[in-house]
Amino acid sequence: GGEAEIYGLEFEGQAALTEDWTAGLSVAWAPSEYKTFEANFVVPYGVPADVSGNSINRYPEWTGSITSTYTTAINNTWDGFVRGDVVYFGKTFPEVDNLAYCDSYITANARIGIEKDNLRIEAFVKNAFDDSSYTACQRFSDFDGIPLEFSVLTRYQGVQVTPQVPRQFGVRTSLNF
């Protein structure tokens, strides 16, 4: 057991810049802190069990995104569109001891296409700048080959990470019915 505090502010907005062009923005700020928490499993690493004052693991203080879409009529039946998104995800800690961390990262995505009624055809790129940051990290216990004694259960720890999906290009068709 223990106590933690998290609070914050969030802003989200969209604007019609012209009749055909929209833009959006979202920003979230959510600092967190363990007020009281005894984490005895970090003691074997020379870290005090009291992790009060540390940030809550796996939750960033800052996140945000910017998006923009331009849509226009191509002819009487087809519309064309271009869309771009930039997403920011802040620094996170994999564990309550806050010794290791995953860096913040930014990804950008874009798409261009045409649509009519319930049919859409688009070309896209995800992770346009091929960012290679880790998207997530968390504590990992390795029990392989370890005698199952309570005293050693927390001795073999590591950090498990999730890599970013590399840049992807593609064409997508969708039909709504």
Side-chain angles (χ1 to χ4, degrees), residues 108-112 123-129 167-170:
N109 309 301
R111 52 189 158 157
I112 185 169
F124 66 87
V125 59
K126 293 182 179 180
N127 191 7
F129 301 112
R167 179 176 32 234
Q168 296 178 337
F169 296 93

Side-chain angles (χ1 to χ4, degrees), residues 72-131:
T72 190
I74 295 174
N75 58 36
N76 290 339
T77 56
W78 288 94
D79 289 333
F81 64 90
V82 176
R83 179 180 173 101
D85 304 294
V86 176
V87 178
Y88 173 79
F89 195 82
K91 173 181 170 180
T92 59
F93 297 97
E95 188 48 78
V96 298
D97 55 30
N98 289 185
L99 292 177
Y101 62 89
C102 270
D103 277 328
S104 60
Y105 64 90
I106 296 173
T107 57
N109 309 301
R111 52 189 158 157
I112 185 169
I114 55 175
E115 60 187 345
K116 74 171 186 174
D117 302 326
N118 57 350
L119 176 63
R120 178 181 209 143
I121 303 167
E122 66 182 21
F124 66 87
V125 59
K126 293 182 179 180
N127 191 7
F129 301 112
D130 205 22
D131 180 78

Side-chain angles (χ1 to χ4, degrees), residues 17-176:
L17 304 176
T18 69
E19 187 176 319
D20 299 327
W21 184 19
T22 61
L25 170 72
S26 70
V27 177
W29 172 66
S32 63
E33 180 182 347
Y34 288 108
K35 291 300 186 182
T36 60
F37 191 78
E38 295 289 322
N40 294 325
F41 53 86
V42 299
V43 174
Y45 314 117
V47 177
D50 182 7
V51 294
S52 301
N54 286 0
S55 295
I56 295 176
N57 51 308
R58 298 189 300 171
Y59 291 95
E61 182 174 353
W62 288 96
T63 58
S65 67
I66 299 171
T67 184
S68 183
T69 305
Y70 182 79
T71 305
T72 190
I74 295 174
N75 58 36
N76 290 339
T77 56
W78 288 94
D79 289 333
F81 64 90
V82 176
R83 179 180 173 101
D85 304 294
V86 176
V87 178
Y88 173 79
F89 195 82
K91 173 181 170 180
T92 59
F93 297 97
E95 188 48 78
V96 298
D97 55 30
N98 289 185
L99 292 177
Y101 62 89
C102 270
D103 277 328
S104 60
Y105 64 90
I106 296 173
T107 57
N109 309 301
R111 52 189 158 157
I112 185 169
I114 55 175
E115 60 187 345
K116 74 171 186 174
D117 302 326
N118 57 350
L119 176 63
R120 178 181 209 143
I121 303 167
E122 66 182 21
F124 66 87
V125 59
K126 293 182 179 180
N127 191 7
F129 301 112
D130 205 22
D131 180 78
S132 60
S133 301
Y134 297 124
T135 61
C137 55
Q138 66 182 15
R139 180 173 60 99
F140 176 74
S141 298
D142 183 5
F143 298 120
D144 189 34
I146 301 172
L148 290 178
E149 300 171 20
F150 184 74
S151 64
V152 297
L153 286 180
T154 62
R155 201 174 296 160
Y156 301 97
Q157 302 292 314
V159 174
Q160 179 176 325
V161 295
T162 304
Q164 187 77 255
V165 175
R167 179 176 32 234
Q168 296 178 337
F169 296 93
V171 176
R172 179 182 309 136
T173 302
S174 59
L175 180 63
N176 294 323

